[in-house]
Amino acid sequence: MKPKDVMPFNKRKWLELGGKLVTRILEDTEKGISQDGAGTKFPNYSKSYADKKKIGKAGPKGVSNNKQVSPPNLRLTGTMMNSLKAQKPTNSSVELNYRDGLKFEGNAKGKKRRNVYGLNNKNEDFVQEFFRDEIDDRIFRFNKKDIVIDLKV
């Protein structure tokens, strides 16, 4: 292994990171934690919506509805949260696709401020640790190799 081989990440690693980030964003959302900077708590649902959600009347008829109101989890039917996917990895990035983007955007704007776009500080730290651990593993493997020095000129 050469020193230049320590740094590049292949598509598989980027997709692995993307999948882990999607999972972390969904877990935060279940706990009512925003993806804004410090990861603030979501504001409570309005009283009327919370009452409807508790008894299963907030969503369309015939569709299984989530009844959790505290903390707000943005998961009534699950369609919006299930639309978040990691895709299109390259050798330098991965795309987090918010397929139901208008719903995500609607929840992030105005008084609601239930932002699920981007990464909060805790998840940004996770990305740094992911890369740090991967580079450490590669350096460790690189150092395990025998180094042969030929002094013949």
Side-chain angles (χ1 to χ4, degrees), residues 87-148:
Q87 65 180 30
K88 296 183 183 176
T90 67
N91 288 330
S92 61
S93 67
V94 66
E95 181 179 289
L96 299 184
N97 188 342
Y98 296 81
R99 294 179 189 184
D100 210 347
L102 291 176
K103 286 185 183 177
F104 282 103
E105 190 176 353
N107 277 291
K109 287 185 173 180
K111 291 181 185 177
K112 294 179 184 176
R113 296 299 305 157
R114 297 181 188 107
N115 185 19
V116 186
Y117 279 123
L119 301 174
N120 61 28
N121 295 342
K122 180 184 74 162
N123 289 335
E124 285 180 359
D125 291 344
F126 171 79
V127 172
Q128 290 176 0
E129 281 181 38
F130 180 87
F131 286 124
R132 189 177 310 123
D133 291 346
E134 183 63 26
I135 290 170
D136 285 349
D137 288 347
R138 290 178 183 194
I139 290 172
F140 180 74
R141 281 184 269 150
F142 177 75
N143 282 334
K144 283 178 65 174
K145 305 268 183 182
D146 289 337
I147 299 174
V148 178

